[in-house]
Amino acid sequence: MEHLNRCFTAKIKVLLKKNIVEHNLLVCLKLIIENWDRFSYLDDIEYPLVVRLNAFLERLTGLRMNNKQTENFQIVNYGIGGEYKPHYDWVEDRYVSSRMYTGTNRILTILFYLSDVEVGGSTVFPHLNIAVPPKKGSALFFTNLDEKGHGDSVTLHAGCPVFFGSKWIANKWVHIKDQDMNFLQTIPSVWT
Ligand SMILES: O=C(O)CCC(=O)C(=O)O
Ligand SMILES: [Fe+2]
């Protein structure tokens, strides 16, 4: 795995690893994905390959990835002109209990790029001056909350419009419930 981009501020870690997903997993995910509609969720229990991928992510991040602590993979396809306007992946504290099924906020986003995009489609962080171009097989990791567990405003991000090509991504959101909050320090090899 090779680093393409790494940016540390006081509050956020954005990390891009190349070819993080073994090739066969990527192929299987794509096969499943191609039979699904846009904005589909992969049932993590139903697909043994997804179970394997979650175990891999557990080892990699030091966070628990079972279905009480993470959301199922969300698969999204953007065609030409498709974009995701600037937003946060966390919700305001007052909405956490009603909107998050774990009753806790999203500590980490893992975004897998399942396709290359010919032109456009970068994931951008305007407050951090970071643009991550989609590269098939790579993954972007970023924390969403500050040290106190509240939504972090520097994590504003967007999926830029696809100008040419088709963009496939799979999102994994990990909730803070029952996680070891020292995960960033305890497994430094993941983050360095
Ligand atoms: O498409 C992207 O690059 C970003 C997607 C995203 O931020 C999301 O699905 O929450
Ligand atoms: Fe997002």
Side-chain angles (χ1 to χ4, degrees), residues 27-188:
V27 169
C28 291
L29 273 176
K30 270 221 77 161
L31 274 178
I32 296 165
I33 289 157
E34 277 163 5
N35 292 302
W36 285 55
D37 292 321
R38 301 175 79 212
F39 292 95
S40 298
Y41 289 85
L42 287 183
D43 188 323
D44 287 15
I45 311 276
E46 200 176 319
Y47 297 99
L49 278 160
V50 179
V51 173
R52 226 175 97 197
L53 183 57
N54 286 339
F56 170 67
L57 292 173
E58 258 186 15
R59 287 198 304 279
L60 195 68
T61 61
L63 288 171
R64 298 197 183 95
M65 297 281 166
N66 65 51
N67 61 357
K68 296 196 176 61
Q69 286 150 314
T70 68
E71 293 168 50
N72 285 341
F73 273 103
Q74 184 199 41
I75 310 299
V76 187
N77 175 232
Y78 305 82
I80 289 173
E83 66 176 316
Y84 197 152
K85 300 260 192 226
H87 66 281
Y88 297 111
D89 287 356
W90 49 268
V91 300
E92 287 177 44
D93 288 348
R94 63 197 159 126
Y95 297 125
V96 168
S97 57
S98 57
R99 298 209 184 143
M100 294 293 183
Y101 79 108
T102 62
T104 65
N105 225 328
R106 291 165 167 169
I107 175 70
L108 185 74
T109 298
I110 307 173
L111 195 163
F112 291 96
Y113 298 99
L114 301 172
S115 66
D116 291 318
V117 178
E118 284 166 72
V119 186
S122 289
T123 308
V124 294
F125 295 80
H127 296 321
L128 297 169
N129 251 336
I130 292 173
V132 180
K135 280 271 164 289
K136 181 176 175 175
S138 70
L140 170 68
F141 294 70
F142 57 95
T143 53
N144 291 300
L145 308 176
D146 64 21
E147 315 74 39
K148 297 201 171 113
H150 302 298
D152 190 340
S153 58
V154 302
T155 65
L156 187 76
H157 61 281
C160 291
V162 172
F163 289 110
F164 199 59
S166 173
K167 176 179 171 187
W168 284 95
I169 59 167
N171 281 311
K172 182 68 154 173
W173 286 293
V174 186
H175 289 214
I176 201 169
K177 184 184 170 78
D178 298 334
Q179 301 288 4
D180 174 4
M181 284 309 293
N182 294 320
F183 74 100
L184 294 176
Q185 284 77 42
T186 52
I187 317 214

